[in-house]
Amino acid sequence: MSRSAGAHIADPCPRCFVEAARQGRPTTVEGRDVVGYRCDRCSNEWVRPVEDDLDVHDVVRVDLPNASLYGEVWRVEGDRVQIRGTGGVWLRWVERWRVVVH
C-alpha cells in the first residue's frame, strides 16, 4: 500500500516495510528493462519491470524527481508516454520507466 509523503508517494520496502519516497533508476536485469530501488534503512535492493503493455486510458502514477502525479495514458510512443491529468487539466510527456499502472 502506498501513501502520500509530501509531493511524492511513499512505497514500502519489501524487506523492512518502512515507507519512503524512493527515486528509482532505470537498469536492465537478464535482458529486461526494470526500475531499481534501494532502501536507505536496511539497504535492501529490488526491481520492478518497466511497463511494456500500456494502453490508452490506463490509470497510472508517474514518479518524477519533484513529485508523483496521477493521470491516464493518452499516447504511447516508444520509450515515452503522454499522460493526461484528471479532467484534461494538463498533458505531459514522461519516460516510460517512470510510469506505474494502477
Side-chain angles (χ1 to χ4, degrees):
M1 182 89 183
S2 301
R3 65 182 175 92
S4 291
H8 291 278
I9 300 301
D11 291 315
C13 167
R15 180 186 290 162
C16 70
F17 304 108
V18 168
E19 291 185 342
R22 299 177 178 86
Q23 289 296 306
R25 65 190 185 292
T27 189
T28 303
V29 173
E30 297 178 3
R32 182 169 174 135
D33 292 332
V34 297
V35 180
Y37 297 92
R38 182 175 187 279
C39 178
D40 291 335
R41 180 173 180 263
C42 71
S43 299
N44 182 38
E45 294 185 357
W46 68 97
V47 297
R48 69 164 175 83
V50 172
E51 304 290 349
D52 59 1
D53 61 347
L54 292 171
D55 292 317
V56 172
H57 302 299
D58 280 349
V59 175
V60 297
R61 180 180 90 201
V62 180
D63 291 327
L64 300 172
N66 57 343
S68 294
L69 304 175
Y70 284 91
E72 67 177 306
V73 173
W74 204 242
R75 290 175 62 187
V76 179
E77 292 182 1
D79 288 340
R80 66 185 198 145
V81 180
Q82 189 175 42
I83 307 300
R84 179 179 182 257
T86 304
V89 176
W90 51 265
L91 284 170
R92 183 169 191 162
W93 285 101
V94 298
E95 298 161 304
R96 182 186 289 260
W97 68 268
R98 296 184 179 277
V99 175
V100 179
V101 174
H102 273 261

